[in-house]
Amino acid sequence: MVLSTELAQMKERLPEWLEASRALTAEGKTAAYIPELAKAPKEALGIHILNMNGESVSAGDCGLVFTMQSISKVFTLLLALMDNGEEVVFAKVGKEPTGDDFNSMLKLELVEPGIPFNPLINAGAIVISSLIHGATPEQKSERILRFFCELSGNETLGYNLDVCRSESATAHRNRSLAYFLKDNGVLDDDVEEVLDVYFHHCSVEVTCADLARMGLVLACGGKDPVTQKQLVPRRYVQIAKTFMMTCGMYNASGEFAIAAGLPAKSGVAGGIMTMVPGRLGIGVVGPALNSKGNSVAGVHLIETLSREFDWSMF
Amino acid sequence: MVLSTELAQMKERLPEWLEASRALTAEGKTAAYIPELAKAPKEALGIHILNMNGESVSAGDCGLVFTMQSISKVFTLLLALMDNGEEVVFAKVGKEPTGDDFNSMLKLELVEPGIPFNPLINAGAIVISSLIHGATPEQKSERILRFFCELSGNETLGYNLDVCRSESATAHRNRSLAYFLKDNGVLDDDVEEVLDVYFHHCSVEVTCADLARMGLVLACGGKDPVTQKQLVPRRYVQIAKTFMMTCGMYNASGEFAIAAGLPAKSGVAGGIMTMVPGRLGIGVVGPALNSKGNSVAGVHLIETLSREFDWSMF
Amino acid sequence: MVLSTELAQMKERLPEWLEASRALTAEGKTAAYIPELAKAPKEALGIHILNMNGESVSAGDCGLVFTMQSISKVFTLLLALMDNGEEVVFAKVGKEPTGDDFNSMLKLELVEPGIPFNPLINAGAIVISSLIHGATPEQKSERILRFFCELSGNETLGYNLDVCRSESATAHRNRSLAYFLKDNGVLDDDVEEVLDVYFHHCSVEVTCADLARMGLVLACGGKDPVTQKQLVPRRYVQIAKTFMMTCGMYNASGEFAIAAGLPAKSGVAGGIMTMVPGRLGIGVVGPALNSKGNSVAGVHLIETLSREFDWSMF
Amino acid sequence: MVLSTELAQMKERLPEWLEASRALTAEGKTAAYIPELAKAPKEALGIHILNMNGESVSAGDCGLVFTMQSISKVFTLLLALMDNGEEVVFAKVGKEPTGDDFNSMLKLELVEPGIPFNPLINAGAIVISSLIHGATPEQKSERILRFFCELSGNETLGYNLDVCRSESATAHRNRSLAYFLKDNGVLDDDVEEVLDVYFHHCSVEVTCADLARMGLVLACGGKDPVTQKQLVPRRYVQIAKTFMMTCGMYNASGEFAIAAGLPAKSGVAGGIMTMVPGRLGIGVVGPALNSKGNSVAGVHLIETLSREFDWSMF
């Protein structure tokens, strides 16, 4: 198969750029607060890029399997929107970047009406988990997993239950957030049941190829370019991509928007999902994180590609 | 029995001052956040004053039985100090007033090292509960209750389990605080077990006479003036009284110190325990609270007495 | 002259959409904190749209003259970048949205290293004013004004000195911000001299047509589509547009990004400058502001247009 | 003259305790933010204790001359109360400890109605300066200085103008506070004029003997024990002493209250004024400060004395 020109150019240069970025892993640290995540290979860096014709290039440790963590929040947001519509969702979660840490509680206490500022910080994602339809936590989790499978075109996605349990056992801050939300009247359900759903979708295991495929669906406005099936209403994808631009990279979202200019979402297992609108889906993994919680090498690699290929949307 | 001059004067004027203060109950509200407390008689106001000779005067609804709520925090602090000593206790709880609401989480997030600012705000009192010795929550609660009985000279003190359950069922904010503390490494025990102890000591039922007796023990440096038994080391009583002066009346402690000039501690069931050092123990109850969470009429009555009898320590 | 299809469609529907949006002015208020601004016509609403061929449509009160206020911050940022380069500028101003009010000082005190979070909040814009080259405040202001003239293609732009003086006389909060920045070591110059520059560029008077032309230059990556002259390096324009997306509409930037999906900047005189990348420059004015400080009718009108013509970048 | 027993005991032990405390100066630092203060002798420590009979003992560097700094705030509060009465003063300044740094602006932004929490933090003291009667800043300063002379019984008190100018030149944070207060409507006067008064009273030079005399007047309820003249109404002295207990030692007021149990006020030049109610006035100086801004050796020395002589009010 002959690669398109862009992918062919990428294929040639990718190994070099990847190694240059990999050097930065020495400055980062794997996530310490979830013990299972701390075990990840610190020097790893992998990337997978997929275009609308199904062509792909990859480099580095692209075979690494890792948990989605916060990347899953983009997709639970989509499912919550499909389940409830915009009005219900945005009565419980705001639309603004916060400038605070992803697990901060300051604005819940300080800013009326005490709802999370956006669905990509922890507080917001916990509320989103509570909005997923399903009679039990198991049914909710099952619906979320099937949705992830559909978007990734990978029916074999499943949980890393060691990570799920490790996170549940140590997630005191998330419990604190959830009880605060319950006190503010934003969370109706039982806290442990909501968190069970939340920890499960955070612990779904993927590879860079899975993220690239999921990103490509977003890049194509919710339509799977391979099957031509509209998996998510375009308006909801637009909303998700906007949030990825304004708050997808934790407290470094603004910086990343200026450097790369692409919608993206990172997770503390080192994954980053990004896309070039209308053209490419991209999955990256590099478990060494910078001080903001983003893959230090992954951010550098995406910024390099965006600069080299002039991908910024701005 | 002939009352001392001071008590005789008080007895004469007390009904008049009490009724003047009772008028303020119209401006207050019973605590809404614990459903059982909301049922308290809003217009009630009672007071009991006890001197070192065991003489007492009382007025108004002094027979009302109510739960200690935050007043209990003074005594769990004393027991925690007796169980652990100053060094252990103050490694986990600070000594400063906060200027924030009693259930605020701001400083836990903003100020290193993330320990509660003092033992009389909720976060601090929860940590104190965790420091009480005992193999199980039941044993801890039992030790606390016996300590309260000893200090009040009333062996019949017990819990209001309806209030205890009502508080436990709705205490999302306290759970949020406790999990935050656990995340900060300040709380070692299981959160629900610590809160079980906390809710139990908050729900111990007393009358104004009980509070007056407990306050008198503090006024006398830890020695029961009737039995001459030293129930608490004087240094720990000194610490407790200092905290009562700087942070005993929630976020209105400074104002009360200026108006009344006495160590005092209030609870959201409307109780206030205060004292005139070396002379009197005072228990007050008035369930209608002001916006700061203190008995609106109770505060007014104590301030009146302090002014009339020149009780301010300053 | 025959309008392009898009503009022709717009021209037909614009009056209807404008009147529908104008109805919202009843809910808004003119800026109260600068006395001169409070005098603006509350029910006014005007718009001017310009394409790359120099064709334009306009509607409503598009002849209204008003001061740029915060809209000017986009262009002083560009000039500061041209004068100093990225490294110098971003050593003194961050790249993140704040989630706080535009004149908030919280993060200056709470977040190390105490530099403004971005150049579009007041604190950031004041620092940017200090970075403009020029031996005196007058020279700096003169260079800024000439730059604005060049970008708008309008050599007659000038200050509204009544507004400038009115703002200077009442800008206690901006003085407070500036002295805080000076204490943090972020501002080297004399505070009053910096603020003199700041108040002057905020008080430059424009019409919607001027804003549309300035926005069109940004939409075209810094090149004036009429003269084909590259007025600003494309990279700096990219930076400015990214900031407009993440923090251009004060504390409602996230909401506007989701609703309209366009880079935009508002000012408290009621102006909004926005653009459709690569195609259109748009200037809007409507002095009645919503609670976030944005033109209530102007926001509605742009959101309507974006929805009708599918302009969102996402 | 034969010293009273207490003073005689003190005299004997004081040199030893002073040298033990002096050892702590190695851990402290002189105030860096006012250049003139940084020059003070870091290892100095002096104390002067005065009783109601006019007897005194002193030790160490008690001849050191230093500026009052924040200690002056106690006395401007008294003068403002005498000039305006309680109602006017407490409409503009609160009565609560803050738990924040002495120059913090957080609560001015976060807590309605945006007045300083108490008169001993910088924001509060600046408002108090504005309430002193006088047609001009010079007249206000003159009235303040005369009041200080009267209370200290020392007609020769004057300003250290080098310190005053040094502070004025670098007081960006105080200017920031003052403009914030002006924006909040708490400060009516011209900011520079108010600060001129503030910097002047902060720079009044004293010795430990002066502070001891001023403290003794407070210890005696406002009456000069030597002349028997009532210099300040007793109620105002009561208010001032209460503030000294709850917020006199910056953000370590609670800790000092527990350790020493005495009303006290510190200044960043290293002075501390404290008292034993009804008995002693005490002046201490030790320019090496701890991290909270209090004289590290001075605090230790007072705590030692309080423990040895059982001075705690609690």
Side-chain angles (χ1 to χ4, degrees):
Chain A
M1 185 181 183
V2 180
L3 281 179
S4 67
T5 318
E6 190 180 44
L7 282 198
Q9 286 179 338
M10 246 177 260
K11 189 172 184 175
E12 193 179 16
R13 306 287 306 280
L14 208 43
E16 165 198 339
W17 290 328
L18 186 132
E19 293 311 321
S21 295
R22 193 200 295 271
L24 295 175
T25 59
E27 300 168 16
K29 286 184 195 164
T30 56
Y33 74 103
I34 305 176
E36 276 293 312
L37 295 184
K39 301 177 185 170
K42 208 192 126 178
E43 333 66 37
L45 181 62
I47 187 167
H48 188 99
I49 304 176
L50 178 69
N51 76 6
M52 291 175 69
N53 302 322
E55 297 171 312
S56 67
V57 294
S58 57
D61 307 294
C62 53
L64 193 68
V65 173
F66 54 97
T67 52
M68 294 178 78
Q69 297 301 331
S70 293
I71 302 172
S72 63
K73 296 172 182 174
V74 174
F75 301 102
T76 51
L77 168 63
L78 289 173
L79 188 54
L81 285 166
M82 292 163 74
D83 279 357
N84 302 277
E86 288 186 50
E87 199 171 342
V88 168
V89 169
F90 293 119
K92 302 221 166 207
V93 190
K95 298 173 177 170
E96 299 303 321
T98 73
D100 300 321
D101 290 339
F102 63 90
N103 60 8
S104 175
M105 305 183 67
L106 299 178
K107 287 196 165 60
L108 291 179
E109 183 169 338
L110 291 174
V111 185
E112 290 289 334
I115 64 173
F117 258 46
N118 69 64
L120 298 187
I121 51 173
N122 284 18
I126 290 169
V127 172
I128 292 295
S129 293
S130 79
L131 293 174
I132 302 297
H133 286 183
T136 63
E138 291 71 27
Q139 283 188 19
K140 293 177 189 218
S141 289
E142 179 56 28
R143 290 190 63 237
I144 293 170
L145 184 61
R146 269 190 287 127
F147 185 59
F148 288 12
C149 288
E150 189 175 26
L151 286 163
S152 66
N154 179 353
E155 288 299 318
T156 71
L157 293 186
Y159 308 111
N160 182 324
L161 290 175
D162 287 338
V163 169
C164 186
R165 277 185 293 256
S166 179
E167 185 159 1
S168 178
T170 57
H172 310 311
R173 185 69 168 261
N174 282 327
R175 281 191 176 81
S176 182
L177 277 167
Y179 278 111
F180 203 108
L181 291 164
K182 196 163 174 67
D183 192 59
N184 280 10
V186 190
L187 207 61
D188 297 323
D189 298 354
D190 177 81
V191 161
E192 286 299 333
E193 291 196 359
V194 174
L195 290 176
D196 183 76
V197 176
Y198 178 78
F199 297 141
H200 271 87
H201 69 68
C202 283
S203 72
V204 170
E205 284 189 325
V206 292
T207 63
C208 289
D210 295 318
L211 289 187
R213 179 76 180 267
M214 296 174 97
L216 186 62
V217 172
L218 302 187
C220 298
K223 186 188 278 186
D224 185 325
V226 181
T227 65
Q228 292 295 315
K229 203 171 147 192
Q230 187 79 31
L231 300 177
V232 189
R234 181 164 167 270
R235 174 61 188 149
Y236 297 157
V237 172
Q238 216 169 39
I239 290 171
K241 286 194 287 192
T242 311
F243 276 124
M244 290 168 77
M245 182 65 84
T246 56
C247 12
M249 299 296 278
Y250 302 120
N251 218 359
S253 300
E255 188 180 350
F256 185 83
I258 284 174
L262 298 172
K265 184 72 204 83
S266 57
V268 288
I272 303 176
M273 176 188 68
T274 186
M275 76 207 61
V276 183
R279 292 161 55 200
L280 301 171
I282 300 172
V284 175
V285 66
L289 308 180
N290 60 25
S291 64
K292 301 296 183 81
N294 297 312
S295 171
V296 59
V299 164
H300 187 264
L301 181 56
I302 297 169
E303 290 179 357
T304 303
L305 287 164
S306 177
R307 199 171 51 241
E308 293 285 340
F309 292 101
D310 198 12
W311 281 343
S312 168
M313 292 174 65
F314 297 100
Chain B
M1 185 181 183
V2 181
L3 282 178
S4 66
T5 319
E6 190 180 45
L7 282 198
Q9 285 179 338
M10 247 177 257
K11 190 170 184 177
E12 192 180 17
R13 306 286 305 280
L14 208 44
E16 162 198 343
W17 290 329
L18 186 133
E19 293 310 321
S21 296
R22 194 200 294 274
L24 294 175
T25 60
E27 299 168 17
K29 285 183 196 165
T30 56
Y33 76 103
I34 305 176
E36 277 292 314
L37 295 185
K39 301 177 186 170
K42 209 191 125 177
E43 333 67 37
L45 180 63
I47 187 167
H48 188 99
I49 303 176
L50 178 67
N51 76 6
M52 290 175 70
N53 303 322
E55 298 171 311
S56 66
V57 294
S58 56
D61 306 294
C62 54
L64 193 67
V65 172
F66 53 97
T67 52
M68 292 178 80
Q69 298 300 331
S70 294
I71 301 171
S72 63
K73 296 172 182 175
V74 173
F75 300 101
T76 51
L77 169 64
L78 289 173
L79 188 54
L81 284 166
M82 291 163 75
D83 279 356
N84 303 275
E86 289 187 49
E87 199 171 341
V88 169
V89 168
F90 293 119
K92 302 221 165 207
V93 190
K95 298 173 178 170
E96 299 302 319
T98 74
D100 301 321
D101 290 340
F102 64 90
N103 60 7
S104 175
M105 303 182 68
L106 298 178
K107 287 198 166 58
L108 290 180
E109 183 169 338
L110 290 173
V111 184
E112 289 289 336
I115 64 172
F117 257 46
N118 68 64
L120 299 187
I121 53 173
N122 284 18
I126 290 169
V127 171
I128 292 296
S129 293
S130 79
L131 292 174
I132 301 297
H133 285 184
T136 63
E138 291 71 28
Q139 284 187 19
K140 292 177 190 220
S141 290
E142 178 55 27
R143 291 190 63 238
I144 292 170
L145 184 60
R146 267 189 290 130
F147 184 59
F148 288 12
C149 288
E150 189 176 25
L151 286 163
S152 65
N154 179 354
E155 287 300 318
T156 71
L157 293 187
Y159 308 110
N160 181 326
L161 290 175
D162 286 338
V163 169
C164 185
R165 277 186 292 259
S166 178
E167 183 158 2
S168 180
T170 56
H172 311 310
R173 185 67 167 262
N174 282 329
R175 282 192 174 79
S176 182
L177 277 167
Y179 278 112
F180 203 109
L181 291 165
K182 195 164 175 66
D183 193 58
N184 280 10
V186 190
L187 208 61
D188 297 322
D189 298 354
D190 176 81
V191 162
E192 287 298 333
E193 292 196 359
V194 174
L195 290 176
D196 183 76
V197 176
Y198 178 78
F199 297 142
H200 271 86
H201 69 67
C202 283
S203 71
V204 170
E205 283 188 324
V206 291
T207 62
C208 289
D210 295 318
L211 290 187
R213 179 76 181 268
M214 296 173 98
L216 185 63
V217 173
L218 302 187
C220 297
K223 186 187 278 187
D224 185 325
V226 181
T227 66
Q228 291 296 314
K229 205 172 145 190
Q230 187 79 30
L231 300 177
V232 190
R234 181 163 167 270
R235 173 62 187 150
Y236 297 158
V237 172
Q238 214 169 39
I239 291 172
K241 286 193 285 190
T242 311
F243 277 123
M244 291 168 77
M245 182 65 83
T246 57
C247 14
M249 299 296 280
Y250 301 122
N251 218 358
S253 300
E255 189 180 349
F256 184 83
I258 285 174
L262 298 172
K265 183 72 203 82
S266 58
V268 289
I272 303 176
M273 175 187 69
T274 186
M275 76 207 60
V276 182
R279 292 161 54 200
L280 302 171
I282 301 173
V284 176
V285 67
L289 308 180
N290 60 25
S291 64
K292 301 296 183 78
N294 296 314
S295 170
V296 58
V299 164
H300 187 265
L301 181 55
I302 297 170
E303 291 178 357
T304 303
L305 286 164
S306 178
R307 200 171 47 243
E308 293 284 342
F309 292 100
D310 198 12
W311 280 344
S312 170
M313 291 174 65
F314 297 99
Chain C
M1 183 182 184
V2 181
L3 281 179
S4 67
T5 318
E6 191 180 45
L7 282 198
Q9 286 180 339
M10 246 177 260
K11 189 171 185 176
E12 192 180 18
R13 306 286 306 281
L14 209 43
E16 164 198 341
W17 291 328
L18 186 133
E19 293 311 321
S21 296
R22 195 200 294 271
L24 295 175
T25 58
E27 300 168 16
K29 286 183 195 163
T30 56
Y33 76 102
I34 305 176
E36 276 293 313
L37 295 184
K39 303 177 185 169
K42 209 192 125 177
E43 335 65 37
L45 181 62
I47 186 167
H48 188 99
I49 304 175
L50 177 68
N51 77 6
M52 292 176 66
N53 302 322
E55 300 171 311
S56 67
V57 295
S58 57
D61 307 294
C62 53
L64 194 67
V65 173
F66 54 97
T67 51
M68 293 178 78
Q69 299 300 333
S70 293
I71 302 172
S72 63
K73 296 172 183 175
V74 173
F75 301 101
T76 51
L77 169 63
L78 289 173
L79 188 54
L81 285 166
M82 292 163 75
D83 279 357
N84 302 277
E86 289 187 48
E87 200 171 341
V88 168
V89 169
F90 293 119
K92 301 221 166 208
V93 190
K95 299 172 177 172
E96 300 302 321
T98 74
D100 300 320
D101 291 340
F102 64 90
N103 61 7
S104 175
M105 305 182 68
L106 298 178
K107 287 197 166 59
L108 290 180
E109 182 169 339
L110 291 174
V111 185
E112 290 289 334
I115 63 173
F117 258 46
N118 69 64
L120 299 187
I121 51 173
N122 284 19
I126 290 170
V127 172
I128 292 296
S129 294
S130 80
L131 293 174
I132 301 297
H133 285 183
T136 63
E138 291 70 29
Q139 284 187 21
K140 292 176 189 220
S141 289
E142 178 56 27
R143 292 190 62 237
I144 293 170
L145 184 61
R146 269 190 288 129
F147 185 58
F148 288 11
C149 288
E150 188 176 28
L151 286 163
S152 65
N154 180 353
E155 288 300 318
T156 70
L157 293 187
Y159 308 110
N160 181 325
L161 290 175
D162 287 338
V163 169
C164 186
R165 277 185 292 256
S166 179
E167 184 157 2
S168 179
T170 58
H172 311 311
R173 185 69 167 261
N174 281 328
R175 281 191 176 81
S176 181
L177 277 167
Y179 278 111
F180 203 109
L181 291 165
K182 196 163 174 66
D183 192 58
N184 280 11
V186 191
L187 208 62
D188 298 323
D189 297 355
D190 177 81
V191 161
E192 287 299 332
E193 292 197 359
V194 174
L195 290 176
D196 183 76
V197 176
Y198 177 79
F199 297 142
H200 271 87
H201 69 68
C202 283
S203 72
V204 169
E205 283 189 324
V206 292
T207 63
C208 289
D210 295 318
L211 289 187
R213 179 76 180 268
M214 296 173 98
L216 186 63
V217 173
L218 301 188
C220 297
K223 187 186 277 186
D224 185 325
V226 181
T227 65
Q228 292 296 314
K229 203 172 149 192
Q230 187 78 30
L231 301 177
V232 189
R234 179 163 167 271
R235 174 61 188 149
Y236 296 158
V237 172
Q238 216 168 39
I239 290 171
K241 286 194 285 192
T242 311
F243 276 124
M244 290 168 77
M245 182 64 84
T246 56
C247 12
M249 299 296 278
Y250 301 121
N251 218 358
S253 299
E255 188 180 350
F256 186 83
I258 284 175
L262 298 172
K265 185 71 204 86
S266 57
V268 290
I272 303 176
M273 175 188 69
T274 186
M275 76 207 61
V276 183
R279 292 161 56 201
L280 302 170
I282 301 172
V284 175
V285 67
L289 307 180
N290 60 25
S291 64
K292 302 296 184 80
N294 297 312
S295 170
V296 59
V299 164
H300 187 265
L301 181 56
I302 296 169
E303 290 179 357
T304 303
L305 287 163
S306 178
R307 199 171 49 243
E308 293 285 341
F309 291 101
D310 198 13
W311 280 344
S312 169
M313 291 174 65
F314 296 99
Chain D
M1 185 180 181
V2 180
L3 282 178
S4 67
T5 317
E6 191 180 44
L7 282 198
Q9 285 179 339
M10 246 178 259
K11 190 171 184 178
E12 190 179 19
R13 306 287 307 277
L14 208 44
E16 163 197 344
W17 291 328
L18 186 133
E19 292 311 320
S21 295
R22 194 200 294 273
L24 295 176
T25 60
E27 299 167 18
K29 284 183 197 166
T30 56
Y33 74 103
I34 304 176
E36 277 293 313
L37 295 185
K39 302 177 186 169
K42 209 192 125 178
E43 333 67 35
L45 180 63
I47 186 167
H48 189 99
I49 303 175
L50 178 67
N51 77 7
M52 292 175 68
N53 303 322
E55 299 170 311
S56 66
V57 294
S58 57
D61 307 293
C62 54
L64 195 67
V65 173
F66 54 97
T67 52
M68 293 179 79
Q69 298 300 330
S70 294
I71 301 171
S72 63
K73 296 171 182 176
V74 173
F75 301 101
T76 51
L77 168 64
L78 289 173
L79 188 54
L81 284 166
M82 291 163 74
D83 278 357
N84 303 276
E86 289 187 50
E87 200 171 341
V88 168
V89 168
F90 294 119
K92 302 221 164 208
V93 189
K95 298 174 179 170
E96 299 302 321
T98 74
D100 301 321
D101 290 339
F102 63 91
N103 60 6
S104 176
M105 304 182 67
L106 298 178
K107 287 197 166 60
L108 291 181
E109 182 169 338
L110 291 173
V111 184
E112 290 289 337
I115 64 171
F117 257 46
N118 68 64
L120 298 187
I121 52 173
N122 284 18
I126 290 169
V127 171
I128 292 296
S129 293
S130 80
L131 293 175
I132 302 297
H133 286 183
T136 63
E138 291 70 27
Q139 284 187 19
K140 292 176 190 220
S141 290
E142 178 56 28
R143 290 190 63 237
I144 293 170
L145 184 60
R146 267 190 290 131
F147 185 59
F148 289 12
C149 288
E150 188 176 26
L151 286 163
S152 65
N154 178 354
E155 287 301 317
T156 71
L157 293 187
Y159 309 111
N160 182 326
L161 290 175
D162 287 337
V163 169
C164 185
R165 278 186 292 258
S166 179
E167 184 158 3
S168 179
T170 57
H172 310 310
R173 184 69 167 263
N174 282 328
R175 283 191 174 80
S176 182
L177 277 167
Y179 279 111
F180 203 109
L181 291 166
K182 195 162 175 69
D183 193 58
N184 280 9
V186 190
L187 208 61
D188 298 323
D189 297 354
D190 177 80
V191 161
E192 288 298 333
E193 292 196 359
V194 174
L195 290 176
D196 183 77
V197 176
Y198 177 78
F199 297 142
H200 271 86
H201 69 67
C202 283
S203 71
V204 170
E205 283 188 325
V206 291
T207 62
C208 289
D210 295 318
L211 290 186
R213 179 77 180 267
M214 296 174 98
L216 185 62
V217 173
L218 302 187
C220 297
K223 185 187 279 187
D224 185 324
V226 181
T227 65
Q228 291 295 318
K229 203 171 149 193
Q230 187 80 29
L231 301 176
V232 189
R234 181 163 167 271
R235 173 60 188 150
Y236 296 158
V237 172
Q238 214 169 40
I239 291 172
K241 286 194 285 190
T242 311
F243 277 124
M244 291 169 77
M245 182 65 84
T246 58
C247 12
M249 299 296 279
Y250 302 123
N251 217 358
S253 300
E255 190 181 348
F256 185 83
I258 284 174
L262 298 173
K265 184 72 203 84
S266 58
V268 290
I272 303 176
M273 175 188 68
T274 186
M275 76 207 59
V276 182
R279 292 161 53 201
L280 302 171
I282 300 173
V284 175
V285 67
L289 307 180
N290 60 25
S291 64
K292 302 296 183 80
N294 295 314
S295 170
V296 60
V299 164
H300 186 265
L301 181 55
I302 297 169
E303 291 178 358
T304 302
L305 287 164
S306 178
R307 200 170 48 243
E308 293 284 341
F309 292 100
D310 197 14
W311 281 344
S312 169
M313 291 174 65
F314 298 100

